């Protein structure tokens, strides 16, 4: 019961984390919305969504829920960076809070864990090099989010991290529009 209470607190009542995100002192990284299954099917092609695990109806609704959730926390537009996997791009576009830019460092390394440390360092560098501006949202995968944050997120769950990022970032909150 205590875990549930802490989870709700982090999701809905951490105004300091939301303020940091709005003010550019934090970044939000989230796991893509629901795409049933694990990993990617045999024959996966990054350029062909029909060969990938994709969002289902629930996942598309989850992605769309981010817009009002973010607006409720004072964020109406953001700089959105995404993995090139279709389920991440569809989540990022479904959020409808800003133009989506593909970042290969956010691509899943589930099938090749050896790439994880390099991609994590690349993501840290890319985020830390961004100029001041609208809030930053990263849409990625469970393995990427866990490698960066130490948090094992559910589908469509995000983590607000203090800036500048490091290999041991400060987790300010775990958030999700469905909680």
């Amino acid at each position: 019961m205590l875990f549930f209470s802490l989870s709700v607190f982090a999701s809905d009542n951490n105004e300091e984390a939301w303020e940091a995100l709005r003010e550019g002192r934090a970044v939000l990284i989230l796991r893509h919305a629901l795409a049933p299954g694990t990993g990617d099917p045999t024959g996966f092609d990054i350029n062909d969504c029909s060969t990938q695990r994709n969002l289902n109806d629930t996942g598309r609704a989850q992605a769309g829920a981010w817009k009002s959730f973010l607006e409720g926390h004072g964020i109406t537009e953001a700089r959105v960076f995404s993995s090139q996997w279709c389920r991440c791009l569809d989540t990022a576009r479904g959020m409808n809070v800003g133009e989506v830019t593909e970042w290969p460092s956010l691509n899943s390394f589930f099938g090749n864990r050896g790439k994880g440390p390099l991609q994590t360092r690349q993501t840290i560098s890319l985020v830390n090099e961004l100029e001041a501006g609208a809030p930053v949202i990263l849409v990625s995968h469970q393995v990427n989010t866990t490698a960066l944050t130490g948090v094992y997120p559910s589908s469509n769950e995000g983590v607000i991290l203090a800036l500048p990022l490091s290999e041991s970032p400060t987790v300010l909150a775990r958030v999700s529009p469905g909680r």
Side-chain angles (χ1 to χ4, degrees):
M1 185 64 151
L2 177 62
F3 175 75
F4 176 76
S5 298
L6 290 174
S7 179
V8 170
F9 175 78
S11 295
D12 298 330
N13 299 318
N14 196 328
E15 185 52 37
E16 290 178 17
W18 288 107
E19 182 178 328
L21 183 61
R22 285 190 302 272
E23 293 177 355
R25 296 181 289 112
V27 61
L28 170 62
I29 183 169
L30 63 109
R31 180 180 180 184
H32 59 78
L34 186 63
T38 303
D40 285 295
T42 303
F44 167 86
D45 179 349
I46 196 167
N47 298 307
D48 184 354
C49 293
S50 71
T51 67
Q52 302 180 33
R53 267 191 322 127
N54 293 294
L55 302 184
N56 63 8
D57 290 341
T58 300
R60 285 186 287 281
Q62 288 176 336
W66 278 99
K67 184 169 181 70
S68 61
F69 182 65
L70 291 166
E71 285 176 350
H73 292 283
I75 298 170
T76 57
E77 66 177 273
R79 293 177 285 170
V80 183
F81 301 92
S82 176
S83 160
Q84 296 172 303
W85 269 233
C86 294
R87 58 186 173 268
C88 291
L89 288 167
D90 290 345
T91 299
R93 292 176 182 136
M95 296 171 77
N96 195 28
V97 294
E99 183 178 328
V100 177
T101 302
E102 296 178 18
W103 270 4
S105 69
L106 295 171
N107 290 351
S108 177
F109 49 81
F110 182 80
N112 186 352
R113 303 292 172 118
K115 291 183 177 182
L118 175 61
Q119 284 182 228
T120 300
R121 286 191 304 275
Q122 288 171 335
T123 298
I124 291 167
S125 293
L126 288 167
V127 168
N128 289 340
E129 292 169 5
L130 290 171
E131 294 186 17
V136 174
I137 299 173
L138 310 175
V139 181
S140 194
H141 305 265
Q142 175 271 310
V143 291
N144 302 67
T145 304
T146 301
L148 177 60
T149 68
V151 171
Y152 190 103
S154 300
S155 292
N156 209 47
E157 181 180 15
V159 182
I160 299 176
L161 302 171
L163 291 175
L165 287 186
S166 70
E167 291 191 26
S168 298
T170 301
V171 174
L172 301 176
R174 293 176 72 167
V175 299
S176 176
R179 290 183 177 205

